[in-house]
């Protein structure tokens, strides 16, 4: 069979059904509609089912059950492992298969190893994903951690699905936030020198700012006070940005997240891209002046109201440099650009898409995903946080408290557009109630079985020589079937930007393994059976490792 066993099996059954429909005179081959081959929800309904009879009603001009009967009369399932077929409900056809079709799954996994489950494309799509992109004015918090977890998992997933992926971080290093950062550091710097200094309105109160200012006072003494206000501001701005960015990069590296591009907002101004974007919008005829401000006619492209680009005091709105940034992204020639934004940016999506359309770009190339908020719970109570006072639980705090694996698993296991409650006590528990422990323990337990086999001098045979026919337990077939489904799970998850599908798959296959382990001994006095079961677990170990890697969770060999 091909690299992916179930994919080829489904195709063979589809062809057998199509051949039967044509042979029964239900339709010409070129008339045949698309029909599904899928696993029934209820195991009692067989191994696979098709809705072909229902899809053929308009062409065959018969009721679905009559069509299904005609298909079964002409069905040759010998090449597709079909043992029996029966009609169910309004006209579904359920198939029961010879389970030996599942044995090649093991060879497929062992052959492809860390690439098992991956997809290939003749022409890979170039995809850019921008995520996290936190203002460099303080420590990363829970919302940033969720964006980092799902963004990186999505990037891994899209790469595994055959795309060329670029990971990008947009550094908001211009504007009022960074000015307030410099002013906050100056106030703390003066305080570190023993002077009285008030924090600026909208200043940053985090402990990191205090630490940076003390370090600066130790290094420079009071030298900065002799500089002009403009020079001092510039130096403090550069110093603060450098310190904050270094800390962000350290936290992300510890979290297992890397970026290919760190894109500076300031560079947009230095390279004239902001004025260039305004000129381009004017050239397209979508800019007008009113009440002393410069407006973009975004309502012409689906936005609910027009947006200001330049305020009447001559300063830019947040939208203007963002338009320039996205204009630059489009210019790089990506097939798709994905932004992962925080929950407070939902209303920003239509205006950005409208701006891109106004520039003559295809707005459908830009996909914006919203990562909803995270609530933290400890000892059964919600942890209160305030970013302004610096009393927020940071990403670093959380990594110290519960570890990277638990954060990445929990933050990825729900759809990113749903609110997430994170239970810190559950995340650190060593019980089956903790899903991270549950799936990692499945991997560690398999590794333990192989250590026992090695101690007993048992070695895996080449899979072609292994007695796989000794795999006869229903739970073994369940595991084989589940392993065979991974390529389809990857395709579905990538198409829906849904790394949580992978988490769900990991948990389900770990549950199948734990159930199997409780029911059957792997290493027994029966050498053939032991060999077959070890082959099964060798493949399962690869599948678990591949999936855990996709979501950024480690696969420990001992626990």
């Amino acid at each position: 069979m091909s690299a992916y066993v179930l994919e080829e099996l489904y195709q063979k059954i589809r062809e057998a059904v199509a051949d039967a429909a044509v042979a029964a005179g239900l339709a010409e081959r070129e008339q045949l509609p698309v029909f599904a081959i899928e696993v029934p929800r209820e195991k009692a309904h067989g191994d696979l089912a098709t809705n072909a009879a229902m899809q053929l009603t308009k062409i065959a001009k018969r009721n679905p059950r009559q069509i299904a009967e005609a298909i079964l009369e002409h069905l040759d399932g010998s090449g597709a492992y079909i043992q029996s077929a029966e009609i169910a409900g309004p006209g579904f056809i359920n198939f029961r298969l010879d389970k030996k079709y599942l044995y090649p799954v093991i060879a497929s996994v062992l052959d492809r190893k860390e690439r098992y489950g991956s997809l290939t494309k003749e022409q890979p799509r170039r995809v850019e994903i921008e995520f996290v992109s936190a203002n460099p004015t303080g420590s990363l918090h829970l919302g940033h951690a969720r964006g980092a977890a799902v963004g990186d998992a999505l990037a891994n997933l899209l790469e595994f699905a055959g795309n060329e992926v670029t990971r990008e971080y947009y550094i908001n290093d211009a504007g009022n936030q960074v000015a307030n950062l410099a002013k906050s550091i100056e106030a703390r710097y003066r305080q570190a020198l023993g002077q009285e200094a008030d924090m600026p309105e909208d200043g940053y109160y985090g402990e990191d700012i205090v630490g940076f200012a003390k370090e600066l006072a130790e290094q420079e003494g009071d030298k900065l006070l002799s500089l002009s206000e403009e020079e001092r501001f510039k130096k403090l701005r550069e110093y603060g940005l450098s310190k904050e960015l270094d800390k962000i990069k350290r936290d992300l590296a510890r979290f297992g997240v890397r970026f290919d591009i760190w894109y500076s907002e300031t560079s947009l101004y230095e390279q004239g891209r902001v004025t260039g974007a305004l000129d381009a919008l004017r050239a397209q005829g979508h800019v007008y002046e009113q009440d002393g401000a410069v407006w973009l006619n975004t309502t012409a492209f689906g936005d609910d109201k027009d947006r200001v680009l330049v305020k009447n005091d001559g300063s830019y709105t947040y939208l203007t440099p963002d338009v320039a940034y996205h204009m630059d992204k489009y210019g790089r020639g990506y097939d798709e650009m994905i932004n992962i934004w925080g929950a407070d940016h939902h209303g920003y999506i239509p205006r950005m898409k409208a701006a891109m359309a106004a520039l003559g770009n295809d707005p459908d190339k830009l996909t914006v995903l919203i990562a909803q908020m995270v609530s933290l719970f400890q000892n059964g109570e919600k942890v209160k946080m305030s970013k302004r006072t610096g009393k927020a639980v940071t990403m670093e705090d959380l990594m110290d408290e519960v570890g990277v694996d638990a954060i990445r698993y929990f933050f990825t296991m729900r759809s990113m557009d749903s609110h997430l409650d994170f239970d810190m006590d559950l995340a650190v528990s060593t019980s089956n109630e903790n899903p991270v422990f549950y799936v990692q323990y499945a991997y560690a337990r398999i590794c333990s079985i192989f250590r026992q086999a090695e101690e007993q001098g048992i070695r895996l045979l080449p899979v072609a020589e292994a007695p796989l026919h000794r795999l006869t337990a229903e739970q073994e077939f369940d595991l084989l079937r589940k392993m065979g489904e991974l390529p389809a799970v990857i395709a579905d998850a990538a198409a829906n930007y849904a790394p949580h599908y992978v988490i769900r798959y990991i948990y389900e296959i770990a549950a199948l393994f734990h159930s199997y382990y409780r029911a059957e001994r792997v290493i027994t006095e029966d050498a053939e059976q032991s060999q077959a079961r070890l082959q099964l677990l060798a493949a399962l170990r690869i599948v678990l490792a591949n999936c855990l890697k996709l979501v950024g969770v480690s696969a420990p060999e001992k626990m």
Side-chain angles (χ1 to χ4, degrees):
M1 280 198 170
S2 69
Y4 293 135
V5 174
L6 296 193
E7 183 182 309
E8 183 169 315
L9 175 75
Y10 287 14
Q11 185 57 33
K12 284 188 174 184
I13 293 177
R14 187 173 283 107
E15 289 169 2
V17 171
D19 290 344
V22 173
L26 298 169
E28 298 296 327
R29 191 167 294 277
E30 60 272 12
Q31 294 178 300
L32 289 174
V34 175
F35 55 88
I37 302 290
E38 57 192 7
V39 178
R41 290 184 182 178
E42 298 292 331
K43 209 169 180 180
H45 293 167
D47 297 300
L48 291 173
T50 183
N51 65 346
M54 275 83 89
Q55 298 298 101
L56 278 161
T57 52
K58 288 185 179 178
I59 299 168
K61 294 182 171 50
R62 302 188 206 174
N63 72 51
R65 285 192 70 91
Q66 289 176 328
I67 294 171
E69 287 168 2
I71 289 173
L72 291 189
E73 284 175 15
H74 294 81
L75 184 67
D76 175 13
S78 58
Y81 294 92
I82 297 173
Q83 283 186 328
S84 65
E86 60 188 24
I87 302 167
F92 289 101
I93 301 174
N94 292 341
F95 301 102
R96 298 186 191 281
L97 308 178
D98 182 341
K99 298 295 195 296
K100 68 183 180 184
Y101 81 88
L102 289 166
Y103 295 148
V105 169
I106 293 176
S108 179
V109 178
L110 297 180
D111 176 58
R112 293 178 67 85
K113 297 183 177 63
E114 68 275 2
R115 296 302 300 163
Y116 180 75
S118 66
L119 310 176
T120 55
K121 296 179 180 178
E122 287 186 15
Q123 292 186 316
R125 286 170 59 78
R126 294 183 63 232
V127 181
E128 182 259 8
I129 304 182
E130 181 224 321
F131 58 108
V132 185
S133 297
N135 293 336
T137 53
S139 298
L140 297 177
H141 58 62
L142 300 185
H144 302 135
R146 188 177 195 188
V150 297
D152 190 57
L154 180 59
N156 293 340
L157 174 61
L158 292 176
E159 278 182 335
F160 208 59
N163 303 285
E164 293 177 0
V165 178
T166 299
R167 295 161 168 83
E168 185 158 340
Y169 188 115
Y170 180 57
I171 308 168
N172 296 100
D173 55 2
N176 289 334
Q177 295 99 329
V178 177
N180 283 333
L181 172 67
K183 292 173 185 175
S184 299
I185 292 175
E186 176 168 0
R188 295 302 192 195
Y189 168 67
R190 288 180 179 276
Q191 290 170 7
L193 292 172
Q195 297 185 5
E196 285 191 14
D198 293 327
M199 287 289 284
E201 188 177 354
D202 297 326
Y204 294 99
Y205 288 78
E207 286 301 314
D208 52 341
I209 305 296
V210 176
F212 297 158
K214 283 182 179 177
E215 186 178 308
L216 193 62
E218 289 169 3
Q219 291 174 354
E220 302 286 345
D222 61 359
K223 290 181 187 176
L224 299 187
L225 300 180
S226 62
L227 299 175
S228 69
E229 187 174 333
E230 183 180 345
E231 287 177 316
R232 185 166 61 252
F233 175 82
K234 182 180 178 183
K235 186 171 181 65
L236 289 170
R237 179 185 177 280
E238 290 174 355
Y239 176 81
L241 277 173
S242 174
K243 283 293 192 181
E244 292 289 8
L245 263 180
D246 283 349
K247 188 174 187 307
I248 286 171
K249 289 180 178 181
R250 280 199 313 274
D251 285 350
L252 289 169
R254 181 181 171 190
F255 202 54
V257 174
R258 64 172 179 82
F259 287 93
D260 303 301
I261 297 173
W262 293 79
Y263 196 107
S264 164
E265 180 185 357
T266 299
S267 72
L268 293 169
Y269 294 93
E270 293 172 345
Q271 296 168 14
R273 294 186 182 276
V274 179
T275 53
L278 280 168
D279 291 343
L281 288 167
R282 284 194 179 95
Q284 293 284 352
H286 300 303
V287 169
Y288 64 92
E289 293 190 18
Q290 183 177 303
D291 300 328
V294 178
W295 296 71
L296 177 61
N297 182 19
T298 52
T299 51
F301 301 94
D303 198 7
D304 60 344
K305 61 182 179 180
D306 290 349
R307 305 292 173 175
V308 175
L309 294 171
V310 185
K311 292 182 273 189
N312 53 23
D313 64 0
S315 63
Y316 296 123
T317 63
Y318 288 120
L319 179 62
T320 312
D322 282 352
V323 170
Y325 172 50
H326 283 79
M327 184 177 169
D328 178 70
K329 282 191 189 186
Y330 272 87
R332 295 184 233 159
Y334 297 115
D335 297 303
E336 182 177 15
M337 291 145 285
I338 300 171
N339 293 342
I340 297 180
W341 288 348
D344 55 343
H345 284 68
H346 197 277
Y348 206 68
I349 300 171
R351 73 191 71 168
M352 183 52 63
K353 282 182 168 282
M356 292 303 101
L359 286 164
N361 294 315
D362 180 1
D364 290 337
K365 281 190 172 185
L366 176 64
T367 298
V368 180
L369 306 174
I370 297 294
Q372 288 292 345
M373 300 295 289
V374 177
S375 295
L376 199 62
F377 287 82
Q378 192 169 34
N379 300 321
E381 294 184 0
K382 189 172 181 178
V383 178
K384 293 181 180 179
M385 292 179 279
S386 168
K387 189 179 178 186
R388 175 167 172 73
T389 61
K391 291 180 181 177
V393 175
T394 67
M395 181 170 156
E396 183 181 29
D397 294 334
L398 204 56
M399 286 190 288
D400 289 341
E401 190 80 18
V402 302
V404 170
D405 285 343
I407 304 171
R408 293 203 57 162
Y409 188 101
F410 274 83
F411 280 17
T412 312
M413 74 179 184
R414 299 273 182 269
S415 171
M416 69 180 84
D417 62 1
S418 62
H419 185 91
L420 180 70
D421 291 338
F422 183 77
D423 186 334
M424 293 175 65
D425 300 311
L426 178 62
V428 297
S429 71
T430 54
S431 74
N432 287 341
E433 297 300 312
N434 178 357
V436 193
F437 177 83
Y438 188 70
V439 299
Q440 288 182 318
Y441 192 51
Y443 185 86
R445 182 170 261 171
I446 293 170
C447 292
S448 173
I449 291 169
F450 275 96
R451 285 194 295 273
Q452 292 172 34
E454 188 174 352
E455 288 167 7
Q456 296 179 34
I458 302 172
R459 296 286 184 271
L460 277 185
L461 294 170
V463 68
E465 301 172 19
L468 300 183
H469 65 279
R470 295 299 305 278
L471 297 173
T472 57
E474 191 61 34
Q475 288 165 318
E476 290 166 342
F477 293 131
D478 289 342
L479 279 167
L480 286 167
R481 191 180 296 108
K482 198 70 181 178
M483 287 193 285
E485 291 172 3
L486 180 58
V489 171
I490 296 299
D492 197 22
N496 290 285
Y497 313 112
H500 65 283
Y501 289 7
V502 180
I503 294 274
R504 183 172 63 202
Y505 174 87
I506 298 170
Y507 189 86
E508 288 172 353
I509 203 166
L512 288 175
F513 166 72
H514 285 305
S515 176
Y516 174 60
Y517 182 83
R518 287 192 298 270
E520 307 285 350
R521 285 183 60 202
V522 175
I523 301 173
T524 69
E525 293 178 0
D526 185 333
E528 270 201 347
Q529 187 180 68
S530 299
Q531 180 68 217
R533 289 178 172 178
L534 285 168
Q535 296 279 351
L536 172 69
L537 295 194
L540 178 56
R541 180 164 60 171
I542 290 170
V543 168
L544 282 169
N546 289 358
C547 292
L548 288 168
K549 185 177 180 182
L550 283 176
V551 295
V553 176
S554 68
E557 295 189 2
K558 293 181 180 181
M559 288 180 71

